[in-house]
Amino acid sequence: MGDQEMRLLFPVAGLAVMAMARLAMADSDVILTTTVNDVTRSFTLEELQALPVERFETITIWTEGPQSFEGVPLAAMLDDLGVTEGTVSAQAINDYAVDIPIDEITETTPIIAYHQNGASMSRRDKGPLWIVYPYDSKPEFQSEAIYSRSIWQMDRLSVK
């Protein structure tokens, strides 16, 4: 290959690298993947924020002092996915998984929190997503079963 061919090849290679970088960035924007009846959907933070929003303040056993949370009610997510029965399986980045019976989900609880105290949550701070209940609003939210369902670093939901 001569010098002229090499000079023509570099810009083309540069465009290919830029296109691959854009695709990788688009994939990295996905923070939640759902699977229902073998149909998989991916959600970015912006797509989650376009769904109904619930906000509350609560005290958790994992943090100090009152914390404010904002996110999508799990019921609204299931409605968006067309789910009316079964069990939700939530999985974390480290593959930890919990099951939440759909008949124990209310219109407003739990939420898939994407903001804590007004800010996005990093992986180090239990993010990007955390299933949260308003723990101090009802005694039934202060049980081992509810605490075990409060999965952080969640990135996958499926319905069984």
Side-chain angles (χ1 to χ4, degrees):
M1 188 177 292
D3 286 343
Q4 186 167 357
E5 287 92 2
M6 289 293 279
R7 281 193 295 268
L8 292 173
L9 183 61
F10 283 129
V12 172
L15 288 173
V17 168
M18 286 184 349
M20 290 188 316
R22 279 195 196 109
L23 283 174
M25 266 183 16
D27 286 345
S28 69
D29 289 344
V30 170
I31 63 170
L32 179 65
T33 303
T34 62
T35 305
V36 178
N37 298 327
D38 297 323
V39 176
T40 300
R41 283 181 59 191
S42 298
F43 291 85
T44 64
L45 177 60
E46 292 77 21
E47 290 169 325
L48 290 178
Q49 290 173 326
L51 294 171
V53 176
E54 183 70 26
R55 295 173 186 87
F56 54 77
E57 188 172 284
T58 192
I59 294 173
T60 82
I61 62 172
W62 306 279
T63 58
E64 289 190 31
Q67 306 289 308
S68 63
F69 292 96
E70 176 181 314
V72 179
L74 185 52
M77 171 61 71
L78 295 176
D79 187 51
D80 186 67
L81 296 171
V83 174
T84 58
E85 59 185 19
T87 300
V88 173
S89 179
Q91 288 187 291
I93 294 166
N94 66 359
D95 293 329
Y96 175 76
V98 298
D99 288 338
I100 304 171
I102 289 177
D103 62 356
E104 294 182 22
I105 297 169
T106 72
E107 189 177 322
T108 58
T109 59
I111 67 170
I112 302 169
Y114 46 72
H115 285 152
Q116 180 180 3
N117 299 323
S120 294
M121 296 175 285
S122 69
R123 286 184 179 186
R124 181 174 289 196
D125 293 321
K126 300 184 176 28
L129 302 173
W130 183 2
I131 293 201
V132 181
Y133 293 77
Y135 305 101
D136 50 6
S137 70
K138 294 181 180 180
E140 56 261 35
F141 291 151
Q142 298 168 21
S143 70
E144 196 59 40
I146 295 299
Y147 293 146
S148 71
R149 293 176 187 166
S150 301
I151 184 171
W152 54 76
Q153 295 181 331
M154 187 186 74
D155 67 345
R156 289 162 282 166
L157 279 180
S158 60
V159 178
K160 302 178 197 178

